Amino acid sequence: MRREIPMIVAFVAGVIIILEFFVPALRSVAAQIQKWYLVVIAFAILVGAFNLLRINYMKIRRRRADWPYSIPLIAGLFAMAIIGIGWGIEEGTVFDWLFNYLIFPMSSTVFALLAFFVASAAYRAFRARTVDATLLLVAAVVVMLGQVPIGSAWVPPWWPDWLVFLTPDWLKDRIMDIFNTAGQRAILIGASLGVVSTSLRILLGIERSYLGEE
Amino acid sequence: MKSVRLGAFVIMSVAAAAFGQTLQAAEDVAAQDTPLDAGGSITVTWQASPDEAGGKAQVIAYEVWRATRAAGDYKRLGEVEPGKGSYEFTDEKAENGVEYFYKVRARGEKMSTDAAPAGPVKATAEWFYPDRLNMLVASVLLAAFVLYYISQARAGKELFIRRIAGLEAVQEAVGRATEMGKPVLYVPGIADIDDIQTIAAVTILGRVATMIAEYDAALLVPCSRSLVMSTAQEVVKEAYLEAGRPDAYRRENIRYLTDDQFGYVAGVDGIMLREKPAANFYLGTFYAESLILAETGHSIGAIQIAGTAMPSQLPFFIAACDYTLIGEELFAASAYLSREPRLLGSLIGQDLGKVIILIFIIAGVVTAFLAQFGFELFGRSIALEQLFVVK
Amino acid sequence: MKFVRWLADIDRRIIFLVIAVAVVIPLIFPLGMRVKVTPQTESIYKEVENLPPGSNVLVAFDYDPAAAPEVHPMALAFLRHCFTKKHKVIIMALWPQGAQMAVSAMADVGKEYDLVYGRDYVNLGYKPGGDIVIKSLGASFPEVFPADMAGEPTAGLPILAKVRNLKDIDLVMDLSAGDPGIPAWVRVANALYQRRVAGGCTAVSAPQFFPYLQTGQLVGLLGGLKGAAEYETVLAYAGKASRRMDAQSIAHLVIILFIIFANISYFILRRQREEKREGPRTGPVASA
Amino acid sequence: MLGTWIAALLTLCILSFLYKDNPFYKFAEYLFVGVSAGFWIAYNYHNLLLPNLIYPLKGAFVVLLTEGRLDLRWLTIIAGLLGVTMLFRFFPKAAWVSRYGIAFSVGLGAGLMFIVYLQANCIYQIWGTVKLSPVVITAGPGGWHVDWPTSVSNTLLIVGIVSALVYFYFSKEHKGVLGRTARLGIWFLMVSFGAAFGYTVMARISLLIGRMEFLIEDWLKLAVIAPIQGALTSLGLL
């Protein structure tokens, strides 16, 4: 019973959402249960936060490697959560200031690391070892050239129209329009079939490992 | 405010009548139940008063009034600005099953004229979107294919699945980690559990965890969502139990970091640098973090297996990881690894869906070609694309 | 030979250093190169241009500061275009920080025009829920946004008098950095309510929206910084995006040079038969 | 000013990761995980919990007290109960209770994704494909003409989509015609991946440009050089 009733809950929730697409009358019911999900998330995050705090507290108490770093973690978590809940999260609040000068710079710097990783990954992976790798490499280089003004800077103004297919600009657009659309579309269609059958397996309780042991 | 305006209007209307001017009413007033809704709504439509386009009197606004009897006491619902020719007003405050009458009043500067009331009309909830029949057929067909092959599989029919290199490598990766005495890192994406890719990732985690438990390697699962962490804990515990190693299960290794995308990445990168896993799995929904994780993973020399249906992130996994499950392969993984007949059956059902789609595409392309020469079938131009319009 | 081997297996920190230099130098000494305008950008420009003055344009700020370097210049250029054409702009956000990005964009753009808040534009603020929010807008704006971002009631605002639901919107522009974003607007505003939807997004997500362009679900698309620079070009003004494109050009060249070096060293080594046997770890292997 | 300094130092801490793991990165990493987790707690409280649970119940309670009737908003209690099941994870023995919350979320997601993917990613994409004609003919002054560029592009699109879909066919060994078609499909996929990769480089460089602009303009120029200049000027040295 510890698995059966939750399975029924999953089934009912999923089926209502699917039916709502076809049955206008169910619209408000579906909207309601979608809101319930938001409440579940809100409660669940406490579980996560507790887990994070417990692991770092244990680290400090047992003086495990790198334990001093857990102190800013715990302090930061409490500070943000208490200030945010207690004094609001709107613009101009302390919470907002902390976001702008702590979270935002770190977040965008981690994001910006990608500029370096794109280069190192390209350097390593784009070598003409196989047909596949060569196609990957050629398409990437052509599109990269077509992306920036400098890529077509060598094309003189008198360049004949019938040779336009040799310019990175033109090639990039064709590759994006044709090859990229074809590849992405096949992935989208294939994945949607996978999603549909996975959804079915879950709703019908055929795939139930997410519920844990009996 | 409203009553003041109404009062002023009554006085104006009386004054205008005294001067003997006329203002023609709105035309073709009709009221009907708003189609395709959950009820509680009636749509009123009408055409402009002939005076609107350069008549003697100007229309300032059209007011919509409602009553429950044709001659009953009408209440004003709202107004619509003139200037469009044909108008529509949706009464969102109708009660289901109650009969209503609607009046449209053309309000001029000095006087107002009512059109004959429209009604009675009832608001009802509809039970089907006719325009979505194609989606229904597609859903039912796909579901039928999947269920048919699942039942076939249950009945013991042998099912063949082609080799998926990325999944063959799972065992190798886990084995390598065990040999080197290093942990396995499993990243289930950054989406929450309501994302089907996350669910797929978590079910795959179950299969991988069984393998890890058998090999006796350590498993680290940092999560960016509490619900995913909770689910992953359940799944992994079950996997260890199944492998007969419940003692080796470490709940604290399946941990939550933060919901924040890049905060999570910073944390996982830290784990990689310090725990030095020998095998990294990235399965599920990924956004920009894909390459940060994969490049950091590469720098510590881990064997890396990725899989996602996010078309925008696949290129980075392909470039930086050793094996990548592309799109649908991610959803096939759980079936492939478990070899459980029922799951394999659903894969075959998907394949049948693909065959039908291919047939449609080819038929559509042929008809699109023929349509250029004006070919008709059953007296209609043959445009298969119409079948795939969903409103 | 030693050099070739060093090149083939270069310390990635050298790559990192070169990239950093390639980005920083052009920022300090701009080069002033020109961008070519793509049809996807052109079609958004035409869409805005051809709407009668006073049309209602919904601009969704679905991005956060992290994506701002790319998407924010688009917002500035697009808003300028709308206000030049005297369109009414309704701003909303499906991302929590989007509403604030809009505030900062309006602070920049607003001072160049004679605008009255509530008449020419409104910032409705942020609403969580993605698809569901858009779906509710199909029914009613005032119900979803009873108050604007500052918490003032929206009931009396003249700009919203004519906008009851999505059907009164002439063009939707979604400035998106991810999810919820363009797919949500296409799925709901276009598919369910037949609105014209245009998009601006980070370059990374742009390719996945090309199918939408082809099916007409999207009117046009601004892809990344280049899209922003293109929009600045059609509007004929030099903004931040144009300057940043110089740094882009150099960085792209550097990466392509790296790829060329990598391949040269790879072929030299292969000729020398020094290349190790191809294992699973040596390159892009898609399961085939 | 203080904010700019903190932001700049944290930016440098994170960038130091590119060289190697070090105490500065570790500090920034732990701090980042902590503050961002706290951020989302407060955020969820304000944007999820209050509007979807607390406010509706409060409103319903007021109606009950003033008008003495129950309204539909009381149903929100179910949401609260589902949420509370998650808290049972604090007690390992009763952790299974949380399966209600998990199952509800998983079921909801499965239902939502079923429709969303089928419509936007399957039916729509098929729709975009079936209307393509491999040979596009236009009527011109001298009779019918073949529009070659569009024809070639349509043909390639169709071939690409079909062959790449064949690659995803699982229930047969990829040999013979099937194998060759799947191979072609992979090539299309590879070109598409290469293109998407190349297309993205720009976005990534943009992000770095953003950070560098911050370090150069906001921090170096305004927060470092300007005060030094100011100090020197006030001391009469400049």
Short mmCIF file of all heavy atoms in Angstrom, two decimals, chain A residues 140-181:
data_model
loop_
_atom_site.label_atom_id
_atom_site.label_comp_id
_atom_site.label_asym_id
_atom_site.label_seq_id
_atom_site.Cartn_x
_atom_site.Cartn_y
_atom_site.Cartn_z
N ALA A 140 31.15 23.78 -37.49
CA ALA A 140 31.40 24.74 -36.41
C ALA A 140 32.24 25.91 -36.92
O ALA A 140 31.92 27.07 -36.65
CB ALA A 140 32.10 24.04 -35.25
N VAL A 141 33.29 25.61 -37.66
CA VAL A 141 34.19 26.68 -38.11
C VAL A 141 33.45 27.62 -39.07
O VAL A 141 33.53 28.85 -38.95
CB VAL A 141 35.45 26.09 -38.77
CG1 VAL A 141 36.24 27.17 -39.48
CG2 VAL A 141 36.31 25.41 -37.72
N VAL A 142 32.69 27.04 -40.01
CA VAL A 142 31.97 27.88 -40.97
C VAL A 142 30.98 28.79 -40.25
O VAL A 142 30.92 30.00 -40.50
CB VAL A 142 31.24 27.01 -42.02
CG1 VAL A 142 30.29 27.87 -42.84
CG2 VAL A 142 32.24 26.31 -42.91
N VAL A 143 30.22 28.22 -39.31
CA VAL A 143 29.23 29.03 -38.60
C VAL A 143 29.92 30.10 -37.76
O VAL A 143 29.47 31.24 -37.70
CB VAL A 143 28.30 28.15 -37.74
CG1 VAL A 143 27.41 29.01 -36.86
CG2 VAL A 143 27.46 27.26 -38.63
N MET A 144 31.03 29.72 -37.13
CA MET A 144 31.74 30.72 -36.32
C MET A 144 32.21 31.89 -37.18
O MET A 144 32.13 33.05 -36.77
CB MET A 144 32.94 30.08 -35.62
CG MET A 144 32.57 29.39 -34.32
SD MET A 144 33.91 28.41 -33.68
CE MET A 144 35.04 29.68 -33.24
N LEU A 145 32.70 31.57 -38.36
CA LEU A 145 33.14 32.65 -39.25
C LEU A 145 31.96 33.49 -39.73
O LEU A 145 32.05 34.71 -39.81
CB LEU A 145 33.88 32.06 -40.46
CG LEU A 145 35.34 31.72 -40.23
CD1 LEU A 145 35.93 31.07 -41.46
CD2 LEU A 145 36.13 32.99 -39.89
N GLY A 146 30.85 32.81 -40.05
CA GLY A 146 29.69 33.52 -40.56
C GLY A 146 29.04 34.41 -39.52
O GLY A 146 28.30 35.33 -39.84
N GLN A 147 29.34 34.10 -38.24
CA GLN A 147 28.70 34.83 -37.14
C GLN A 147 29.22 36.23 -36.96
O GLN A 147 28.51 37.09 -36.46
CB GLN A 147 28.97 34.08 -35.83
CG GLN A 147 28.08 32.93 -35.58
CD GLN A 147 26.78 33.39 -35.03
OE1 GLN A 147 25.93 33.86 -35.76
NE2 GLN A 147 26.60 33.29 -33.74
N VAL A 148 30.49 36.42 -37.26
CA VAL A 148 31.10 37.72 -36.93
C VAL A 148 31.46 38.47 -38.20
O VAL A 148 31.74 37.86 -39.23
CB VAL A 148 32.37 37.52 -36.06
CG1 VAL A 148 31.97 37.17 -34.65
CG2 VAL A 148 33.28 36.47 -36.65
N PRO A 149 31.44 39.80 -38.14
CA PRO A 149 31.72 40.60 -39.33
C PRO A 149 33.05 40.25 -39.98
O PRO A 149 33.16 40.21 -41.19
CB PRO A 149 31.75 42.03 -38.78
CG PRO A 149 31.08 41.99 -37.46
CD PRO A 149 31.14 40.60 -36.96
N ILE A 150 34.02 39.91 -39.13
CA ILE A 150 35.36 39.68 -39.66
C ILE A 150 35.40 38.45 -40.57
O ILE A 150 36.22 38.34 -41.47
CB ILE A 150 36.37 39.55 -38.49
CG1 ILE A 150 37.74 40.02 -38.93
CG2 ILE A 150 36.40 38.16 -37.95
CD1 ILE A 150 38.73 40.10 -37.78
N GLY A 151 34.44 37.53 -40.36
CA GLY A 151 34.42 36.29 -41.13
C GLY A 151 34.25 36.55 -42.62
O GLY A 151 34.77 35.81 -43.45
N SER A 152 33.51 37.59 -42.96
CA SER A 152 33.28 37.88 -44.38
C SER A 152 34.05 39.11 -44.83
O SER A 152 33.84 39.63 -45.92
CB SER A 152 31.78 38.08 -44.62
OG SER A 152 31.10 36.88 -44.35
N ALA A 153 34.97 39.55 -43.98
CA ALA A 153 35.70 40.79 -44.28
C ALA A 153 36.58 40.62 -45.51
O ALA A 153 36.85 41.58 -46.22
CB ALA A 153 36.53 41.21 -43.08
N TRP A 154 37.01 39.38 -45.78
CA TRP A 154 37.91 39.16 -46.92
C TRP A 154 37.16 39.19 -48.25
O TRP A 154 37.76 39.26 -49.31
CB TRP A 154 38.64 37.83 -46.77
CG TRP A 154 37.68 36.65 -46.66
CD1 TRP A 154 37.14 36.16 -45.52
CD2 TRP A 154 37.13 35.90 -47.73
NE1 TRP A 154 36.30 35.13 -45.80
CE2 TRP A 154 36.27 34.93 -47.17
CE3 TRP A 154 37.28 35.92 -49.13
CZ2 TRP A 154 35.55 34.03 -47.93
CZ3 TRP A 154 36.57 35.01 -49.89
CH2 TRP A 154 35.72 34.07 -49.29
N VAL A 155 35.81 39.12 -48.19
CA VAL A 155 35.04 39.09 -49.44
C VAL A 155 35.01 40.49 -50.04
O VAL A 155 34.47 41.41 -49.44
CB VAL A 155 33.61 38.61 -49.18
CG1 VAL A 155 32.83 38.56 -50.49
CG2 VAL A 155 33.62 37.24 -48.51
N PRO A 156 35.61 40.69 -51.24
CA PRO A 156 35.65 42.03 -51.82
C PRO A 156 34.28 42.46 -52.33
O PRO A 156 33.44 41.60 -52.59
CB PRO A 156 36.63 41.88 -52.99
CG PRO A 156 36.62 40.43 -53.31
CD PRO A 156 36.27 39.69 -52.07
N PRO A 157 34.04 43.73 -52.49
CA PRO A 157 32.71 44.23 -52.90
C PRO A 157 32.33 43.75 -54.29
O PRO A 157 31.15 43.63 -54.61
CB PRO A 157 32.86 45.75 -52.87
CG PRO A 157 34.23 46.07 -52.43
CD PRO A 157 34.97 44.82 -52.16
N TRP A 158 33.33 43.45 -55.16
CA TRP A 158 33.00 43.05 -56.53
C TRP A 158 32.77 41.55 -56.63
O TRP A 158 32.62 40.99 -57.71
CB TRP A 158 34.11 43.47 -57.48
CG TRP A 158 35.50 43.15 -56.97
CD1 TRP A 158 36.34 44.02 -56.35
CD2 TRP A 158 36.18 41.89 -57.00
NE1 TRP A 158 37.51 43.39 -55.99
CE2 TRP A 158 37.44 42.07 -56.39
CE3 TRP A 158 35.86 40.63 -57.49
CZ2 TRP A 158 38.37 41.04 -56.24
CZ3 TRP A 158 36.79 39.58 -57.35
CH2 TRP A 158 38.03 39.80 -56.72
N TRP A 159 32.71 40.88 -55.50
CA TRP A 159 32.53 39.42 -55.50
C TRP A 159 31.28 39.05 -56.31
O TRP A 159 30.20 39.55 -56.04
CB TRP A 159 32.35 38.95 -54.05
CG TRP A 159 32.40 37.45 -53.90
CD1 TRP A 159 31.35 36.62 -53.80
CD2 TRP A 159 33.56 36.63 -53.81
NE1 TRP A 159 31.76 35.33 -53.66
CE2 TRP A 159 33.14 35.30 -53.66
CE3 TRP A 159 34.95 36.90 -53.86
CZ2 TRP A 159 34.02 34.23 -53.55
CZ3 TRP A 159 35.81 35.82 -53.73
CH2 TRP A 159 35.34 34.50 -53.58
N PRO A 160 31.41 38.18 -57.33
CA PRO A 160 30.24 37.86 -58.17
C PRO A 160 29.16 37.14 -57.40
O PRO A 160 29.45 36.32 -56.52
CB PRO A 160 30.83 36.97 -59.27
CG PRO A 160 32.12 36.45 -58.72
CD PRO A 160 32.63 37.47 -57.76
N ASP A 161 27.93 37.42 -57.77
CA ASP A 161 26.79 36.85 -57.07
C ASP A 161 26.74 35.34 -57.14
O ASP A 161 26.32 34.67 -56.21
CB ASP A 161 25.48 37.42 -57.66
CG ASP A 161 24.89 38.45 -56.74
OD1 ASP A 161 25.52 38.72 -55.70
OD2 ASP A 161 23.82 38.99 -57.06
N TRP A 162 27.15 34.80 -58.28
CA TRP A 162 27.04 33.34 -58.42
C TRP A 162 28.09 32.60 -57.59
O TRP A 162 28.05 31.39 -57.47
CB TRP A 162 27.13 32.94 -59.91
CG TRP A 162 28.41 33.40 -60.57
CD1 TRP A 162 28.65 34.60 -61.16
CD2 TRP A 162 29.60 32.64 -60.70
NE1 TRP A 162 29.93 34.65 -61.64
CE2 TRP A 162 30.53 33.46 -61.37
CE3 TRP A 162 29.98 31.35 -60.31
CZ2 TRP A 162 31.83 33.03 -61.67
CZ3 TRP A 162 31.27 30.93 -60.61
CH2 TRP A 162 32.20 31.77 -61.28
N LEU A 163 29.01 33.34 -56.99
CA LEU A 163 29.99 32.70 -56.11
C LEU A 163 29.66 32.94 -54.64
O LEU A 163 30.45 32.67 -53.76
CB LEU A 163 31.39 33.24 -56.41
CG LEU A 163 32.10 32.57 -57.60
CD1 LEU A 163 33.47 33.20 -57.81
CD2 LEU A 163 32.24 31.07 -57.37
N VAL A 164 28.45 33.44 -54.42
CA VAL A 164 28.08 33.82 -53.06
C VAL A 164 28.16 32.64 -52.11
O VAL A 164 28.44 32.76 -50.93
CB VAL A 164 26.66 34.45 -53.04
CG1 VAL A 164 25.61 33.41 -53.34
CG2 VAL A 164 26.39 35.12 -51.71
N PHE A 165 27.99 31.42 -52.67
CA PHE A 165 27.98 30.24 -51.81
C PHE A 165 29.36 29.96 -51.20
O PHE A 165 29.51 29.04 -50.42
CB PHE A 165 27.47 29.02 -52.58
CG PHE A 165 28.32 28.65 -53.75
CD1 PHE A 165 29.40 27.80 -53.57
CD2 PHE A 165 28.05 29.14 -55.01
CE1 PHE A 165 30.20 27.45 -54.63
CE2 PHE A 165 28.85 28.80 -56.08
CZ PHE A 165 29.93 27.95 -55.91
N LEU A 166 30.34 30.73 -51.58
CA LEU A 166 31.66 30.53 -50.97
C LEU A 166 31.89 31.45 -49.78
O LEU A 166 32.92 31.39 -49.14
CB LEU A 166 32.75 30.77 -52.02
CG LEU A 166 32.88 29.64 -53.06
CD1 LEU A 166 33.97 29.97 -54.07
CD2 LEU A 166 33.19 28.32 -52.37
N THR A 167 30.93 32.32 -49.49
CA THR A 167 31.14 33.23 -48.36
C THR A 167 30.58 32.63 -47.08
O THR A 167 29.53 31.99 -47.10
CB THR A 167 30.46 34.59 -48.61
OG1 THR A 167 29.05 34.33 -48.71
CG2 THR A 167 30.92 35.24 -49.88
N PRO A 168 31.31 32.80 -45.98
CA PRO A 168 30.88 32.21 -44.71
C PRO A 168 29.48 32.65 -44.30
O PRO A 168 28.71 31.86 -43.76
CB PRO A 168 31.91 32.72 -43.70
CG PRO A 168 33.07 33.15 -44.49
CD PRO A 168 32.58 33.53 -45.84
N ASP A 169 29.16 33.89 -44.59
CA ASP A 169 27.84 34.42 -44.27
C ASP A 169 26.73 33.56 -44.85
O ASP A 169 25.79 33.14 -44.17
CB ASP A 169 27.70 35.80 -44.92
CG ASP A 169 27.68 36.89 -43.90
OD1 ASP A 169 27.97 36.55 -42.74
OD2 ASP A 169 27.39 38.03 -44.26
N TRP A 170 26.84 33.33 -46.15
CA TRP A 170 25.84 32.60 -46.90
C TRP A 170 25.80 31.15 -46.41
O TRP A 170 24.73 30.60 -46.13
CB TRP A 170 26.19 32.65 -48.39
CG TRP A 170 25.13 32.10 -49.29
CD1 TRP A 170 24.11 32.79 -49.87
CD2 TRP A 170 24.99 30.74 -49.71
NE1 TRP A 170 23.34 31.94 -50.63
CE2 TRP A 170 23.86 30.68 -50.55
CE3 TRP A 170 25.70 29.57 -49.46
CZ2 TRP A 170 23.42 29.50 -51.14
CZ3 TRP A 170 25.27 28.39 -50.04
CH2 TRP A 170 24.13 28.35 -50.88
N LEU A 171 26.98 30.56 -46.29
CA LEU A 171 27.05 29.16 -45.87
C LEU A 171 26.46 28.97 -44.49
O LEU A 171 25.73 28.02 -44.22
CB LEU A 171 28.52 28.71 -45.85
CG LEU A 171 29.07 28.26 -47.19
CD1 LEU A 171 30.56 28.00 -47.05
CD2 LEU A 171 28.37 26.97 -47.63
N LYS A 172 26.78 29.91 -43.61
CA LYS A 172 26.26 29.81 -42.23
C LYS A 172 24.74 29.77 -42.25
O LYS A 172 24.12 28.93 -41.59
CB LYS A 172 26.73 31.00 -41.40
CG LYS A 172 26.24 30.96 -39.99
CD LYS A 172 26.07 32.34 -39.39
CE LYS A 172 24.63 32.75 -39.40
NZ LYS A 172 24.38 34.11 -39.03
N ASP A 173 24.13 30.69 -43.01
CA ASP A 173 22.67 30.72 -43.05
C ASP A 173 22.09 29.42 -43.59
O ASP A 173 21.10 28.91 -43.08
CB ASP A 173 22.19 31.90 -43.91
CG ASP A 173 22.37 33.22 -43.19
OD1 ASP A 173 22.57 33.17 -41.96
OD2 ASP A 173 22.35 34.27 -43.84
N ARG A 174 22.71 28.86 -44.64
CA ARG A 174 22.20 27.60 -45.18
C ARG A 174 22.35 26.48 -44.15
O ARG A 174 21.45 25.69 -43.94
CB ARG A 174 22.94 27.20 -46.46
CG ARG A 174 22.74 28.12 -47.64
CD ARG A 174 21.29 28.41 -47.95
NE ARG A 174 21.17 29.75 -48.49
CZ ARG A 174 20.82 30.83 -47.80
NH1 ARG A 174 20.51 30.76 -46.56
NH2 ARG A 174 20.79 32.01 -48.33
N ILE A 175 23.52 26.42 -43.54
CA ILE A 175 23.74 25.34 -42.56
C ILE A 175 22.71 25.45 -41.44
O ILE A 175 22.12 24.46 -41.02
CB ILE A 175 25.17 25.41 -41.98
CG1 ILE A 175 26.17 25.02 -43.07
CG2 ILE A 175 25.31 24.49 -40.79
CD1 ILE A 175 27.61 25.04 -42.61
N MET A 176 22.49 26.67 -40.97
CA MET A 176 21.53 26.84 -39.87
C MET A 176 20.12 26.49 -40.34
O MET A 176 19.37 25.82 -39.66
CB MET A 176 21.54 28.27 -39.33
CG MET A 176 22.82 28.69 -38.63
SD MET A 176 23.37 27.56 -37.36
CE MET A 176 22.21 27.92 -36.07
N ASP A 177 19.74 26.97 -41.53
CA ASP A 177 18.38 26.76 -42.01
C ASP A 177 18.11 25.30 -42.34
O ASP A 177 17.03 24.79 -42.06
CB ASP A 177 18.15 27.57 -43.29
CG ASP A 177 17.86 29.02 -42.98
OD1 ASP A 177 17.74 29.33 -41.78
OD2 ASP A 177 17.76 29.83 -43.90
N ILE A 178 19.05 24.68 -43.01
CA ILE A 178 18.78 23.34 -43.52
C ILE A 178 19.26 22.27 -42.54
O ILE A 178 18.46 21.54 -41.95
CB ILE A 178 19.43 23.13 -44.89
CG1 ILE A 178 18.88 24.18 -45.87
CG2 ILE A 178 19.16 21.73 -45.40
CD1 ILE A 178 19.62 24.25 -47.17
N PHE A 179 20.56 22.20 -42.35
CA PHE A 179 21.09 21.09 -41.57
C PHE A 179 20.68 21.19 -40.11
O PHE A 179 20.28 20.22 -39.49
CB PHE A 179 22.61 21.04 -41.69
CG PHE A 179 23.05 20.62 -43.04
CD1 PHE A 179 23.21 21.54 -44.06
CD2 PHE A 179 23.28 19.28 -43.33
CE1 PHE A 179 23.59 21.16 -45.33
CE2 PHE A 179 23.66 18.87 -44.59
CZ PHE A 179 23.82 19.82 -45.59
N ASN A 180 20.79 22.40 -39.59
CA ASN A 180 20.44 22.54 -38.19
C ASN A 180 18.96 22.26 -37.96
O ASN A 180 18.58 21.55 -37.04
CB ASN A 180 20.81 23.94 -37.70
CG ASN A 180 20.79 24.02 -36.21
OD1 ASN A 180 21.44 23.23 -35.56
ND2 ASN A 180 20.02 24.93 -35.66
N THR A 181 18.11 22.79 -38.83
CA THR A 181 16.68 22.54 -38.67
C THR A 181 16.39 21.05 -38.78
O THR A 181 15.65 20.50 -37.97
CB THR A 181 15.88 23.30 -39.75
OG1 THR A 181 16.25 24.68 -39.69
CG2 THR A 181 14.40 23.16 -39.54
#
